[in-house]
Amino acid sequence: MLALVMKMERIVWQGLLYDFYGELLTERQRHIYEDVVFNDLSLSEIAREEGVTRQGVHDLVRRCDRILEGYEEKLRLVEKFQKTKEFAGRIQELLDEYEQGQGAERLKMARELAGKIVEI
């Protein structure tokens, strides 16, 4: 069960990286990476379709992973996106609490979080 959860987390992470940086890959890299990550094709299926070895497909996918992770290490766009999403969600909660009569302190906290988003 834990292995399945870890695989799911890995797929989500790969998807996020691809969403942000996928256009920086070559067309061939994008095609094969999408087949593995999003279309869930086996390495053997892709190898047959592309006329390369299974090992070649495996190496290309790992290389794409390293490239995408390298972009994230340098640019931190996914990290900033996730923080922004987290802060925005918390602001919504605080504003809901404010509307329910829980005071001006909630509004102040929402403003502080909004300021953090601007700083990201």
Side-chain angles (χ1 to χ4, degrees), residues 2-72:
L2 181 59
L4 179 62
V5 170
M6 290 175 60
K7 182 177 180 181
M8 294 293 289
E9 289 175 0
R10 178 73 183 157
I11 291 170
V12 169
W13 177 244
Q14 287 175 308
L16 276 171
L17 289 177
Y18 186 82
D19 286 347
F20 279 86
Y21 308 113
E23 288 299 315
L24 300 173
L25 298 173
T26 67
E27 186 176 331
R28 183 168 188 268
Q29 288 172 328
R30 283 193 310 269
H31 173 71
I32 291 174
Y33 198 78
E34 287 173 4
D35 279 348
V36 170
V37 176
F38 300 118
N39 301 330
D40 200 29
L41 296 179
S42 72
L43 299 179
S44 299
E45 289 172 310
I46 297 166
R48 268 193 313 274
E49 181 182 302
E50 296 293 321
V52 297
T53 65
R54 183 187 176 284
Q55 184 64 45
V57 174
H58 178 269
D59 291 346
L60 186 138
V61 171
R62 294 298 147 238
R63 187 168 44 254
C64 289
D65 281 337
R66 284 192 306 275
I67 290 168
L68 296 173
E69 288 171 0
Y71 287 134
E72 177 59 14

